[in-house]
Amino acid sequence: MAPVGFTAGTQTIGPESVAADMGDLAGRVRSLMALQQQRVLQLPLGGNLFDIVVTASGPQAYAAITVMDEIQNPGDEPPYACGPVIEDPQRSWLIWLVPPGTSKRWGPHRYASCLGRPHHVALPALTQTQPPGPYWLRPCRGDRLVPPMALRELLDQFQLGPAPHETLLGAALSTIS
């Protein structure tokens, strides 16, 4: 096989040529590198990544997570099969990562608020799996998010404490660290 050769060019790509959803790609790559380097990551919600559902934490929330572990466990998974969940002990919140676009379909809910664009969230380092500070109660994995309809049913079943108001969430989520 012949070696691959690259030819230097002088072509300039203007901002108008970049796809609308790729304009912030460099920023997202830098953010993901920060997460990999065990730093807090501030990431925009929506797009192609994820939205979030924020609930109260506490005994009912932990029971809901246990059931979600069972729902998302096809049988040969580790015991903690639930999609990614962050606990913020300072605010007594759980932050469930759900598929992008969920916030557009979620609707009002007594026990949860769902946010997507234009909000941002600060994610803890991938190695942060216990307090102090926000931590991954269920790890961030590349193969799953929390299924929103199953989550919604569990929230109704377990009746978690009242959800924080969406305006408060939007202001606070980007400051979690």
Side-chain angles (χ1 to χ4, degrees):
M1 184 184 289
V4 176
F6 294 98
T7 306
T10 59
Q11 182 180 6
T12 302
I13 299 174
E16 68 281 352
S17 301
V18 177
D21 63 344
M22 298 298 279
D24 62 349
L25 179 62
R28 288 180 185 234
V29 168
R30 280 192 294 278
S31 294
L32 290 171
M33 289 173 61
L35 187 62
Q36 219 174 19
Q37 296 166 357
Q38 314 313 324
R39 296 191 316 240
V40 171
L41 161 67
Q42 187 169 337
L43 199 63
L45 296 174
N48 295 326
L49 298 176
F50 53 83
D51 287 350
I52 59 170
V53 172
V54 181
T55 66
S57 62
Q60 293 93 343
Y62 303 137
I65 287 175
T66 300
V67 173
M68 188 62 76
D69 283 335
E70 295 169 9
I71 290 170
Q72 291 196 267
N73 189 337
D76 57 348
E77 291 286 325
Y80 300 124
C82 178
V85 180
I86 299 167
E87 181 160 18
D88 182 348
Q90 179 183 354
R91 293 178 177 94
S92 296
W93 290 350
L94 291 183
I95 302 167
W96 309 71
L97 278 60
V98 295
T102 299
S103 63
K104 293 177 184 167
R105 299 180 304 276
W106 184 262
H109 195 277
R110 183 175 180 181
Y111 304 110
S113 292
C114 185
L115 297 176
R117 276 197 174 137
H119 300 285
H120 287 70
V121 66
L123 301 177
L126 290 175
T127 56
Q128 186 75 31
T129 57
Q130 57 188 357
Y135 64 96
W136 293 99
L137 185 59
R138 292 296 182 268
C140 185
R141 299 163 38 160
D143 67 339
R144 74 189 61 192
L145 294 169
V146 175
M149 292 307 109
L151 175 59
R152 196 173 176 95
E153 290 175 17
L154 288 174
L155 297 177
D156 288 333
Q157 178 183 348
F158 288 97
Q159 301 180 4
L160 313 183
H165 190 273
E166 187 173 323
T167 305
L168 170 66
L169 286 174
L173 286 172
S174 63
T175 63
I176 292 174
S177 60

